[in-house]
Each structure stands twice: as structure tokens, then as C-alpha cells.
Amino acid sequence: MSISSPCILVCSIDMTTGYCFGCGRTRDEIAGWMGYTPEMRDELMAELPARLETVERKPRRETRRTRMARERSDVQPE
């Protein structure tokens, strides 16, 4: 059984909001994710897009997921 996760492999916390720049979860939510019920994870995932709108800045680095997708499609960076 696979557990859904909003993680995009950008693990950096915005010090103003306390939310991860990549997924929007707090440190406590990230740490407790595996112990949440599917319903708890779904409820939290529904809140994440609004949270991500409140972070102070977006990370400048390319995410691992984006880099891997780019490399698979053989698209060269501009």
C-alpha cells in the first residue's frame, strides 16, 4: 500500500510561516505524516495550496523531481 505525500523533495522551512517551501507542511506535520490516517492526510493536503501562497519566497534551486524529469526528457536548461 502506498501512502500519498505532497513532498516534492524541496525540504526547506520558511522561517516566517513555519511551512516547507516545497510542500507547505510544518516540521511536526512532516515528522508525523506516517502516523496520520488517510483522512487526516487528505484534510491536510487540501490546506496546502493556500499555505504555499503565504510563504515569503520560493526556493531558487531546482527540485530533484524537476531535475529528474528534465533529464528524462533530455531537455537542456536555457
Side-chain angles (χ1 to χ4, degrees), residues 12-14 21 52 54-60:
S12 183
I13 302 295
D14 175 46
F21 289 113
L52 287 170
T54 68
V55 295
E56 290 292 312
R57 64 171 176 80
K58 301 291 182 200
R60 293 182 190 191

Side-chain angles (χ1 to χ4, degrees), residues 24-65:
R25 294 178 292 173
T26 66
R27 290 175 196 259
D28 289 340
E29 291 165 343
I30 293 167
W33 193 254
M34 297 301 287
Y36 291 1
T37 65
E39 294 79 18
M40 293 167 69
R41 286 191 291 270
D42 289 344
E43 286 177 24
L44 183 54
M45 286 178 66
E47 296 175 23
L48 299 179
R51 287 184 182 186
L52 287 170
E53 294 295 320
T54 68
V55 295
E56 290 292 312
R57 64 171 176 80
K58 301 291 182 200
R60 293 182 190 191
R61 66 186 171 102
E62 179 179 46
T63 67
R64 181 174 178 216
R65 182 173 288 170

Side-chain angles (χ1 to χ4, degrees), residues 3 7-9 20 35 37 52-53 56 58-59 74-75:
I3 294 179
C7 182
I8 62 167
L9 305 174
C20 173
T37 65
L52 287 170
E53 294 295 320
E56 290 292 312
K58 301 291 182 200
D74 294 322
V75 175

Side-chain angles (χ1 to χ4, degrees), residues 62 64-76:
E62 179 179 46
R64 181 174 178 216
R65 182 173 288 170
T66 303
R67 180 180 49 79
M68 290 170 66
R70 178 178 46 78
E71 288 172 354
R72 274 192 302 260
S73 65
D74 294 322
V75 175
Q76 299 298 319

